[in-house]
Amino acid sequence: MTQMPELVAIMHSLVGLAAVFVGFNADIMINTMAALFAETGQVLGAAGAYAALPPETVVGLSSFGELIAKKTHVEIGILRVELVLGIWIGAVTFTGSVVAYAKLAGGSSLLPFKVDTSAKQFPGGHMLNAAAAALSLLLTAMYLGGSGSWTLVLLTLLALFIGYHLIMGIGGADMPVVVSMLNSYSGWAAAAIGFSLGNDLLIVVGALVGSSGAILSYIMCKAMNRSFVSVILGGFGGATGEQMKVEGEMIATSTDDVASMLEEADSVVIIPGYGMAVAQAQSNVAELTRRLRAKGKVVRFAIHPVAGRLPGHMNVLLAEAKVPYDIVLEMEEINEDFPDTDVAIVIGSNDIVNPAAQDDPNSPIAGMPVLEVWKAKQVIVSKRGQGTGYSGIENPLFFKDNTRMLYGDAKKSLDELLTKVS
């Protein structure tokens, strides 16, 4: 489950690569058919040219070759536009998806190179992207004007660079949106393949995937208070000032202390995150919930729209562990209840509970709606170590006076805690 987004990303790259290959194949076939028609004294696309071909030539054509041979000049021009779009979108999708996979996989990536999960760009980053896009348009015009297939090769190289540089410029905090966005790109690439091949099924399926991916990306951007356009342009217009310095220190706690806090608490809110998914601790969380509720305590779950790697990630894990659905609440339903909560337990979450989103205008997640867990009377954070997490953003929550850090693997920590909460 935790590696599913990585799989999705790398599969998107294959769709993009397929679009590139099909586009080049279409160009090669157009050139081949034009040469074949010239040998027989005909002009590809001219009226009646196909009917004038010798029978032995027609028999030797492939199905795709026959499709091209029957096209008019206008239809061949449209096919050239389609294959350019397919190659460009496919190349952007290919390298973008490979970088997204590397960022999602982190140290477990099987690629021969490592990718920083934070936003990284070359000097003049956005201008480089804009220049590459402008050159792509110029090369498209040259190709359609008959300059030759070398323009397609250069266009492909530019698109590969744009895909790489675009996703490298997006930080880990926005990676869920990136996966959804690449899903959309792969859909449009598939639709372009469908047009090139004259395959209605590919056109319809590609359009469905492309439009649904774009809609999901937009919904996720709203949930994260992000500009959809700025995210797809590689974080354009993000915060650039110096971030607020975090003061204080992290105070460690033990399972004995946590058990005592839970014993005295009447209301408990659990905030699951990616760390819970990695540790596969959802069953332990469900068992802890059952034991606390058996004692008459009010236990609920707070779910952020982008908790984990994809929307619904936490809901699926909790449902798998048979946590009652009526106590699993969305952020808007539970945020105002934190001041009346005795203990908030954060299990493997970082950005979605980061007060810097509200307090620091220069934070990379500034303005993002977050779960206001720091307003609870006591906060327990189950975390593997003192690092800044996947997105590389420091969290002031960990340094607050009412926060205690329970270090270690979430599953092992909960195993130990369950021995003390009967």
Side-chain angles (χ1 to χ4, degrees):
M1 185 69 188
T2 57
Q3 293 179 314
M4 192 59 66
E6 299 164 24
L7 175 63
V8 171
I10 208 67
M11 292 300 287
H12 290 164
S13 74
L14 298 180
V15 177
L17 196 58
V20 173
F21 287 154
V22 169
F24 272 103
N25 182 66
D27 177 64
I28 291 169
M29 285 299 296
I30 290 173
N31 295 335
T32 302
M33 294 307 300
L36 182 63
F37 271 61
E39 288 176 2
T40 59
Q42 306 297 322
V43 177
L44 178 64
Y50 176 71
L53 287 177
E56 62 272 16
T57 301
V58 174
V59 171
L61 294 179
S62 67
S63 58
F64 189 45
E66 187 174 350
L67 180 70
I68 294 174
K70 293 179 179 179
K71 289 183 179 293
T72 65
H73 280 303
V74 174
E75 290 173 331
I76 290 174
I78 294 173
L79 176 59
R80 289 183 185 275
V81 173
E82 293 164 358
L83 72 87
V84 167
L85 288 175
I87 288 174
W88 194 86
I89 297 173
V92 170
T93 303
F94 173 65
T95 49
S97 297
V98 170
V99 172
Y101 159 78
K103 285 198 173 194
L104 289 166
S108 63
S109 170
L110 298 178
L111 297 175
F113 55 88
K114 299 299 179 185
V115 172
D116 197 324
T117 59
S118 61
K120 298 289 183 181
Q121 286 186 328
F122 293 123
H126 298 301
M127 292 305 298
L128 277 176
N129 291 338
L135 281 173
S136 296
L137 286 174
L138 176 61
L139 289 167
T140 298
M142 292 174 65
Y143 172 73
L144 297 177
S147 293
S149 299
W150 64 270
T151 56
L152 278 183
V153 176
L154 289 183
L155 181 139
T156 304
L157 293 175
L158 285 171
L160 290 171
F161 168 77
I162 291 172
Y164 165 80
H165 199 233
L166 200 66
I167 306 306
M168 281 299 296
I170 303 175
D174 289 325
M175 203 46 58
V177 181
V178 171
V179 174
S180 177
M181 180 183 70
L182 289 168
N183 178 48
S184 178
Y185 288 177
S186 69
W188 298 125
I193 292 175
F195 279 110
S196 297
L197 298 177
N199 188 311
D200 292 342
L201 181 61
L202 267 177
I203 295 171
V204 173
V205 173
L208 285 172
V209 173
S211 56
S212 61
I215 293 169
L216 178 58
S217 298
Y218 177 73
I219 292 172
M220 292 172 69
C221 281
K222 285 192 66 176
M224 300 170 71
N225 196 34
R226 288 283 198 275
S227 164
F228 179 67
V229 175
S230 72
V231 171
I232 65 173
L233 291 180
F236 186 85
T240 56
E242 185 178 355
Q243 297 177 44
M244 291 175 58
K245 294 183 178 179
V246 179
E247 298 180 350
E249 61 178 352
M250 299 184 190
I251 303 175
T253 189
S254 65
T255 52
D256 288 319
D257 293 336
V258 174
S260 299
M261 293 180 199
L262 293 176
E263 189 65 37
E264 297 172 2
D266 293 321
S267 60
V268 177
V269 173
I270 301 174
I271 302 90
Y274 182 66
M276 183 190 80
V278 171
Q280 300 183 14
Q282 59 268 24
S283 297
N284 299 62
V285 172
E287 179 59 27
L288 178 64
T289 300
R290 284 190 285 271
R291 294 186 187 186
L292 292 176
R293 295 185 78 194
K295 292 174 177 286
K297 302 180 189 299
V298 177
V299 182
R300 293 176 297 170
F301 287 80
I303 307 296
H304 192 279
V306 294
R309 287 286 175 86
L310 290 173
H313 192 171
M314 295 301 105
N315 303 71
V316 170
L317 293 180
L318 294 177
E320 174 193 331
K322 296 182 172 52
V323 171
Y325 191 73
D326 60 328
I327 65 172
V328 179
L329 306 178
E330 300 298 326
M331 177 175 63
E332 294 80 4
E333 299 175 293
I334 201 169
N335 236 359
E336 61 184 20
D337 294 346
F338 279 111
D340 299 319
T341 300
D342 294 320
V343 177
I345 305 177
V346 179
I347 305 177
S349 293
N350 192 353
D351 295 338
I352 63 172
V353 293
N354 194 333
Q358 297 180 359
D359 302 335
D360 186 0
N362 290 323
S363 171
I365 60 171
M368 173 180 165
V370 292
L371 291 161
E372 300 172 349
V373 298
W374 58 89
K375 294 183 178 180
K377 296 178 177 65
Q378 293 176 309
V379 181
I380 307 300
V381 178
S382 176
K383 199 170 182 292
R384 284 174 288 185
Q386 295 187 353
T388 54
Y390 175 73
S391 64
I393 303 172
E394 191 63 85
N395 193 338
L397 169 70
F398 304 155
F399 299 85
K400 288 188 176 292
D401 294 336
N402 63 333
T403 299
R404 296 294 180 268
M405 308 297 295
L406 183 61
Y407 293 118
D409 177 82
K411 191 174 189 302
K412 292 180 180 178
S413 296
L414 286 168
D415 279 337
E416 187 176 344
L417 180 61
L418 286 172
T419 63
K420 306 175 190 304
V421 179
S422 56

